[in-house]
DNA sequence: CTGAAAGCGCTTACAG
DNA sequence: CTGAAAGCGCTTACAG
């Protein structure tokens, strides 16, 4: 059995109160006592039980995180900066990976509640009613990262997805493209599904670019679905000269599909992605992408959450909108209608 | 304040003992009492405190995981199956991401101890003495996944890295290549550094293929380093016709470098990777790779750890060696010396 | 500056 | 089948 505070106290010949005090760095302990206690701690290899501590302090230093898919380069990057920021503030992460699995999410939310985590970070927005209800009466600070659920009650750290999608589309238009395909996300998602689609649509409308229904398709953000949707688009009699995919993974899938069809990016088709994940630099041609400030997003998410936890939520009642940025690489080219 | 067991007891007009019993699904509770308690629980929205429970049960259902880099597709995939398997067994994950940061690892190990996690999974092997010492007297079941530290005390779930590297190299040899480059890992790593290098060397020796020092380089498993090492190799007067990189990320970096130099894979150079991560299918040409059974590895790791935790460690005293498998895609081609 | 005692929210013998 | 009491390993008023 690991030694307990009582053992240390006995070993040092003091009360547990005193041991507790030196453990917590309180003043009001004479130096010689402090030294004796410290020695006892070292000799016994004592480490205080965080469990017991949490129970009395009513604080676990735990943050529950719900990630849709740690395997995605976007989410894994966000997760890594969340972890980093949390760790810097002495918080630990309880990580839950949900792959479109509502039951698992419900279960984890329950676990977070049981664990009495100090705060929760959620990175997806496809919530059914059961989850919504649970979340609302959870009484634990919650923050959404990279997504914004319809419920106004919660704070989100996001970019302006509408504007970002608009700007990405405009980039293609400004390159001279007239036939612009779109590979969207899940339309149940407000942020990354609906808003990005509307941004695309409005850009087309504002610049008088024709809307072709066959060029508008929806995937699940993953590479494979980008591939499939692109395949369908290439099956059109006249296919687009440019494609905007709302995730880098899908954009890469689209590029691969184009490649496998014997066409070239960007000579035959331009492709622009979304996220600015590390994949953009790992493929050839390197992928032009509408970049989200992923690192900042993770950091700000944790900072805001810690504000909420410590009760400084006065000003935190508002969403944080981070800036998006078009990063031009090699996958888009101007279209010359000759 | 969230309701406690006492509140439920009062609300239902029974003792806390009885509430505890129905909470834990014990028999020996009359149906009517059980129903009353259940109703009280529902009405109050009561959720038992896992913290308090852990304290008395001396079991936290927590597994601490140390990942070198969640951002890597290999580790994020392993992590996702670890999470899945753990969750299926009602364990939760405390995730620590260490990026070559020994201090952070030490800190987390301490945290794991304080948290009284039931078990620990470690996925890297670059241990300094301080960590080694701490780990050895931790008195918590530890298992290594995908790596094997020199200390014989701990169990590892791995493949035979030596054989896998040997087989990958042999594949290139059998394709007729005579000048075979190598992009290795960190030679401080026994598993993925040393063993894979020796596998490569022995294959060359066994088949009488010339060893060229300039073709032997070492990176840090990431894309960028693969790029750089490849660049150095291409600067040789006569460069290799095939390259074996010990991670898919580095192999992709190598492919990109080759591409950026105006050469083609596999026509001018063949490239073979290692891991079998999802990147292999995301790049063009698709990457031939020596595949580790990543999903199985994660699952087996957790299964073994749970064995250790529950004390069935009789047979668990041995490493688990999983099978590697060469997956041929489009990045290697036979070399015809004309 | 130091310690005895109560309490955090549960579970588990023990007695009935 | 049910409950009073002790205890898990700490911290924190309270008193001295």
């Amino acid at each position: 059995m690991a030694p307990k505070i009582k053992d240390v106290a006995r070993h040092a010949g003091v009360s547990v109160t005193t041991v507790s005090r030196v453990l917590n760095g309180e003043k009001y302990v004479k130096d010689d006592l402090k030294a004796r206690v410290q020695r006892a701690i070292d000799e016994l290899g004592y480490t205080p039980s965080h469990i017991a501590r949490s129970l009395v302090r009513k604080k676990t230093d735990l943050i529950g995180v719900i990630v849709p898919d740690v395997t995605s380069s976007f989410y894994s990057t966000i997760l890594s900066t969340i972890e980093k920021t949390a760790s810097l503030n002495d918080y630990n992460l309880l990580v839950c990976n949900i792959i479109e699995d509502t039951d698992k999410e419900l279960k984890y939310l329950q676990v977070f509640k049981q664990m009495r985590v100090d705060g929760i970070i959620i990175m997806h927005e496809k919530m059914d009613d059961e989850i919504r209800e649970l979340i609302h009466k959870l009484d634990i600070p919650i923050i959404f990262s990279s997504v914004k659920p319809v419920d106004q009650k919660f704070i989100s750290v996001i970019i302006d997805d509408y504007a970002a999608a608009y700007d990405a589309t405009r980039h293609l238009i400004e390159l001279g493209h007239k036939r612009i395909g779109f590979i969207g996300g899940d339309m149940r998602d407000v942020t990354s599904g609906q808003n990005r689609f509307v941004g695309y649509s409005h850009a087309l409308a504002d610049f008088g670019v024709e809307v072709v229904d066959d060029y508008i398709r929806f995937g699940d953000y993953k590479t494979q679905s980008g591939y499939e949707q692109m395949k369908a688009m290439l099956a059109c009699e006249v296919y687009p000269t440019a494609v905007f995919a709302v995730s880098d993974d899908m954009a890469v899938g689209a590029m691969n599909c184009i490649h496998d069809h014997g066409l070239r990016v960007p000579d035959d088709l331009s492709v622009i992605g979304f996220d600015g994940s590390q994949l953009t630099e790992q493929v050839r041609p390197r992928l032009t992408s509408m970049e989200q400030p992923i690192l900042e997003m993770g950091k700000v998410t944790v900072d805001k959450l810690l504000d909420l936890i410590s009760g400084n939520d006065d000003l935190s009642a508002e969403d944080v909108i981070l800036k998006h940025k078009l990063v031009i690489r090699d996958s888009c080219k101007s279209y010359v209608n000759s």
Side-chain angles (χ1 to χ4, degrees), chain A:
Chain A
M1 276 284 83
K4 335 171 182 187
I5 196 172
K6 209 170 164 186
D7 301 319
V8 177
R10 186 155 26 201
H11 197 86
V14 298
S15 71
V16 294
T17 313
T18 300
V19 176
S20 175
R21 278 203 260 261
V22 347
L23 242 31
N24 294 295
E26 265 178 60
K27 36 230 166 204
Y28 307 136
V29 182
K30 259 196 194 151
D31 284 348
D32 60 326
L33 270 202
K34 196 182 292 184
R36 250 162 59 205
V37 170
Q38 195 54 59
R39 194 148 47 79
I41 289 175
D42 293 342
E43 287 179 12
L44 266 45
Y46 170 73
T47 311
S49 160
H50 194 88
I51 297 291
R53 224 170 223 186
S54 299
L55 188 59
V56 17
R57 286 189 185 160
K58 294 176 174 314
K59 182 153 182 355
T60 54
D61 303 326
L62 244 32
I63 293 177
V65 184
I66 292 183
V67 195
D69 180 13
V70 280
T71 268
S72 117
S73 60
F74 176 73
Y75 289 116
S76 65
T77 306
I78 271 221
L79 180 61
S80 87
T81 84
I82 285 181
E83 194 276 348
K84 184 181 169 190
T85 314
S87 169
L88 248 28
N89 289 283
D90 291 320
Y91 275 84
N92 299 113
L93 258 40
L94 225 44
V95 174
C96 160
N97 192 38
I98 44 152
I99 313 207
E100 295 265 333
D101 185 341
T102 305
D103 288 341
K104 192 170 172 190
E105 184 176 2
L106 264 176
K107 181 186 153 192
Y108 259 104
L109 252 10
Q110 285 292 153
V111 168
F112 289 168
K113 191 178 172 193
Q114 288 179 198
M115 286 285 192
R116 306 297 195 251
V117 299
D118 293 337
I120 295 177
I121 296 173
I122 300 182
M123 296 201 244
H124 81 118
E125 50 187 334
K126 221 167 294 153
M127 291 188 294
D128 71 354
D129 292 338
E130 212 173 348
I131 291 181
R132 195 185 313 282
E133 197 198 355
L134 176 57
I135 256 175
H136 271 274
K137 60 183 188 193
L138 211 46
D139 189 39
I140 297 175
I142 297 181
I143 194 162
F144 284 78
S145 192
S146 84
V147 295
K148 177 162 180 51
V150 280
D151 310 59
Q152 204 49 52
K153 183 185 166 194
F154 301 110
I155 300 177
S156 282
V157 178
I158 41 172
I159 57 167
D160 183 338
D161 286 87
Y162 167 82
Y166 187 100
D167 292 347
T169 310
R170 190 175 55 189
H171 177 64
L172 297 175
I173 295 172
E174 287 172 351
L175 285 174
H177 293 279
K178 305 286 183 215
R179 298 197 306 275
I180 301 177
F182 177 76
I183 302 179
D186 190 322
M187 284 303 268
R188 291 173 295 174
D189 298 337
V190 178
T191 323
S192 40
Q194 299 170 20
N195 292 352
R196 292 182 195 169
F197 172 65
V198 177
Y200 159 80
S201 302
H202 284 190
L204 293 193
D206 287 355
F207 291 91
V209 175
E210 191 191 359
V211 175
V212 180
D213 284 349
D214 284 349
Y215 294 175
I216 299 178
R217 320 210 115 253
F218 298 93
D220 66 1
Y221 308 104
K222 296 193 193 178
T223 311
Q224 184 59 28
S225 76
Y227 194 101
E228 284 157 12
Q229 298 310 323
M230 191 66 226
K231 195 168 180 180
M233 247 186 262
L234 288 179
C236 297
E237 256 182 74
V238 181
Y239 52 75
T241 63
V243 173
F244 165 36
V246 304
S247 79
D248 288 335
D249 286 7
M250 288 199 294
V252 166
M255 287 211 306
N256 289 342
C257 180
I258 293 166
H259 174 273
D260 293 353
H261 274 67
L263 298 169
R264 285 163 312 162
V265 176
D267 304 276
D268 299 310
L269 270 108
S270 289
V271 176
I272 185 169
F274 199 107
D275 284 345
S277 72
Q278 53 178 9
L279 243 195
T280 57
E281 299 275 353
Q282 283 178 317
V283 296
R284 289 299 178 273
R286 300 182 317 142
L287 179 67
T288 290
S289 178
M290 180 53 68
E291 185 172 300
Q292 303 198 52
I294 310 187
L295 303 184
E296 188 186 357
M297 201 171 258
K299 180 182 180 332
V300 173
T301 298
V302 175
D303 288 343
K304 270 286 168 187
L305 181 60
L306 296 188
D307 279 352
L308 289 178
I309 291 174
S310 61
N312 310 342
D313 47 316
D314 284 2
L315 70 172
S316 316
E318 285 180 22
D319 288 342
V320 183
I321 314 287
L322 268 21
K323 291 219 181 346
H324 57 277
K325 184 171 100 192
L326 176 66
V327 178
I328 296 176
R329 295 194 183 82
D330 310 324
S331 64
C332 294
K333 188 176 158 180
S334 60
Y335 177 72
V336 191
N337 192 4
S338 56

